[in-house]
Amino acid sequence: MRLQPLARRRLAGLGAAGEAWLAGLPALLDDLEQEWGVRVERRSLPGGSNGLVVPATTTDGRARVVKVAAPGVDLARQAEVLAAAAGRGHVRLHAHDPQRQALLLDGLGRSLAQTPLPVEDAVAALAATLVEAWAAPAPPLPSRVRDRAADLARGLDDLATRAEHDASPAVLDHARRCAARRSAAHDPSRSVVTHGDAHPANLLRAPGAPTGWLLVDAEGTVAERAYDVGVALRDLSSHLQDPATAAVRLRGWCAQAAATTGTDPGAVWDWAFLERVSTGLYVTSIGSRTVGRPMLTSAAAVLAGC
């Protein structure tokens, strides 16, 4: 079974535990086929950075997807969010095996990342589907709502010292300022259960859905809604490499997405920049500099135009 590159790097970092999990995959998939009454194809789908994602088919021919988490990854929160949403804005969950850390999901179409669209149309699809997802039932909020920006700022400082990366001191300082503004504005009463990772590769075609798209890989992060919108704009880095236009383009997308979602464009900007830097550092730290570099160089290009 050939895994996606980020999943392979994650397993390599686990040493013997990762090797044992990989060796046990064929038997695990055999068990899930019996448990859920599906036929699982032995080929991985795009995505799956935290484990394995494979297509499957029910006995009556309906498309499904089986997702199995790598060691150390818990799918309980994702299952909780998907079960509550019941297919609104999110992929529909059919089964959850907590012992094997596996989910059975509806099969969907190609992702937004695989679909050639003008960037503004992609932003529109992400924003509209986020609105739909927020309107779905969600798990209750925890008794104590964490400050997401403060958590990201701490992680950013840790990652910046642990790995060789392409983030300049100026980019790191601006990311810290963005985090400080969002932390100062933190209000638990305005927090909701967000998707938490609504980037273009996690938005898949679903012709029957109100927006024509559904979100997968929900993290269920508790934060203000603008956080979700900022994350959605994080991975459009290939369009933000020219310092002469990057800041103007990003501000335009922030304004567009904020208007659709009813969020503050300044807050969306802060989250989009902070997430671009923190995620770029994170994926670099796990050995995928080719994924992290465009995020960090786009942050530099955006900053140059501010």
Side-chain angles (χ1 to χ4, degrees), residues 284-306:
T284 298
S285 74
I286 62 172
S288 187
R289 198 167 181 179
T290 56
V291 176
R293 181 181 290 115
M295 293 186 187
L296 298 174
T297 55
S298 73
V302 165
L303 186 58
C306 289

Side-chain angles (χ1 to χ4, degrees), residues 132-182:
E132 185 71 12
W134 296 336
L141 295 177
S143 57
R144 178 177 175 270
V145 176
R146 296 182 62 89
D147 182 342
R148 179 62 176 167
D151 287 344
L152 284 176
R154 285 189 290 270
L156 184 150
D157 287 338
D158 177 56
L159 290 167
T161 60
R162 283 200 294 115
E164 183 180 351
H165 55 77
D166 299 283
S168 68
V171 163
L172 294 173
D173 284 344
H174 190 74
R176 293 185 186 102
R177 289 193 292 273
C178 290
R181 285 194 293 267
R182 300 325 316 146

